[in-house]
Amino acid sequence: MALPREDLDGTIPALRGVAEALGSFRLDHSCADPRRKALRSRIRDYLVPRLLDPDSALVVAVVGGSGSGKSTLLNSLARKRISPSGPLRPTTAAPLVWTGEGLPPTLGGFPALLAGRGVVSDPAPPEGLILVDTPPPAVAGEDGRPAAIAVLDAADACVFVASGIRYADASGWELIDLA
């Protein structure tokens, strides 16, 4: 549901103010500092851009452990090999975005995607949908954080993929709590 324009005009500056306030102090003696930084990032990098463009495509992160079938699922949906899959682990080393509408602002924190690497648009996914194939949680992104977690922070929804082989070792299941 989109906010009325008059509400949006007051909400966006207020949220930006909250994000800046959260970044203006440090609590080294407390374990709350990482959570405060995460909240600030979520407001600034996800909530504000999403409110500014509520009609943009739904961003869906496809997450799971290594070898669970994330890329195979995307390839099946596209009816074309758009994401490499195979026996080597991990096969997906960086996020791959399947989009027909370009990148939304919430995915602007991924410089490689902005440079055009890891973006597939042929064939286009269903209208209004962007799917992101993520590396397994053990693969770190450019900022040192697991890339799958960074994509989850930028996504509107999540599809968790598990296989019979990886089900027993609970590989990737910590992503469900984050989602």
Side-chain angles (χ1 to χ4, degrees):
M1 178 179 129
L3 290 172
R5 187 75 212 160
E6 58 275 4
D7 289 349
L8 194 57
D9 290 341
T11 302
I12 299 298
L15 284 171
R16 285 185 172 141
V18 168
E20 289 311 308
L22 286 169
S24 65
F25 59 91
R26 293 184 65 201
L27 300 172
D28 288 334
H29 63 282
S30 169
C31 63
D33 212 38
R35 291 193 58 134
R36 179 184 54 82
K37 288 178 182 175
L39 179 59
R40 176 183 185 230
S41 176
R42 178 122 344 125
I43 290 169
R44 187 185 59 215
D45 300 335
Y46 173 77
L47 188 57
V48 169
R50 198 63 174 138
L51 286 172
L52 287 171
D53 191 8
D55 296 326
S56 67
L58 184 72
V59 177
V60 179
V62 180
V63 300
S66 183
S68 62
K70 300 178 299 294
S71 298
T72 300
L73 175 64
L74 251 66
N75 292 338
S76 297
L77 291 171
R79 297 182 183 176
K80 180 179 178 181
R81 187 179 171 110
I82 61 170
S83 185
S85 61
L88 298 177
R89 298 290 171 250
T91 304
T92 304
L96 180 129
V97 179
W98 184 29
T99 177
E101 303 180 21
L103 290 176
T106 57
L107 291 175
F110 298 91
L113 297 180
L114 294 175
R117 298 186 311 271
V119 178
V120 176
S121 58
D122 182 33
E127 188 177 335
L129 191 63
I130 295 173
L131 291 141
V132 185
D133 186 7
T134 63
V139 175
E142 296 168 355
D143 62 357
R145 277 181 16 166
I149 293 172
V151 171
L152 271 175
D153 284 346
D156 300 309
C158 165
V159 172
F160 179 76
V161 180
S163 72
I165 296 170
R166 300 309 303 248
Y167 183 80
D169 67 4
S171 176
W173 286 73
E174 67 276 9
L175 296 171
I176 292 175
D177 288 335
L178 292 171

Coordinates of all heavy atoms in Angstrom, one line a residue, residues 1-9:
M1 N 0.8 -1.2 0.0 CA 0.0 0.0 0.0 C 0.9 1.2 0.0 O 1.8 1.4 0.8 CB -0.9 0.0 1.3 CG -1.7 1.2 1.4 SD -2.7 1.0 2.9 CE -2.4 2.6 3.6
A2 N 0.6 2.1 -0.9 CA 1.4 3.4 -1.0 C 0.9 4.4 0.0 O -0.3 4.5 0.2 CB 1.4 3.9 -2.4
L3 N 1.8 5.2 0.5 CA 1.4 6.3 1.4 C 0.8 7.4 0.6 O 1.3 7.7 -0.5 CB 2.6 6.8 2.2 CG 3.1 5.8 3.3 CD1 4.4 6.4 3.9 CD2 2.1 5.7 4.4
P4 N -0.2 8.2 1.1 CA -0.6 9.4 0.4 C 0.6 10.4 0.3 O 1.5 10.4 1.1 CB -1.6 10.0 1.3 CG -2.1 8.9 2.2 CD -0.9 7.9 2.3
R5 N 0.6 11.1 -0.8 CA 1.8 12.0 -1.1 C 2.1 12.9 0.1 O 3.3 13.1 0.4 CB 1.5 12.8 -2.3 CG 2.6 13.7 -2.8 CD 3.6 12.8 -3.5 NE 5.0 13.3 -3.3 CZ 6.1 12.6 -3.4 NH1 6.0 11.3 -3.7 NH2 7.2 13.1 -3.2
E6 N 1.1 13.5 0.8 CA 1.3 14.4 1.9 C 2.0 13.7 3.1 O 2.8 14.2 3.8 CB 0.1 15.1 2.4 CG -1.1 14.2 2.8 CD -2.0 13.7 1.7 OE1 -1.7 14.0 0.5 OE2 -2.9 13.1 2.0
D7 N 1.7 12.4 3.3 CA 2.3 11.6 4.3 C 3.8 11.3 3.9 O 4.7 11.3 4.8 CB 1.6 10.3 4.6 CG 0.2 10.5 5.3 OD1 0.0 11.7 5.8 OD2 -0.5 9.6 5.4
L8 N 4.0 11.0 2.7 CA 5.3 10.6 2.2 C 6.2 11.8 2.3 O 7.4 11.6 2.7 CB 5.2 10.1 0.7 CG 6.4 9.4 0.1 CD1 6.7 8.2 1.0 CD2 6.1 9.0 -1.3
D9 N 5.8 13.0 2.0 CA 6.6 14.2 2.1 C 7.2 14.4 3.5 O 8.3 14.9 3.7 CB 5.8 15.4 1.7 CG 5.6 15.4 0.2 OD1 6.2 14.7 -0.5 OD2 4.7 16.2 -0.2

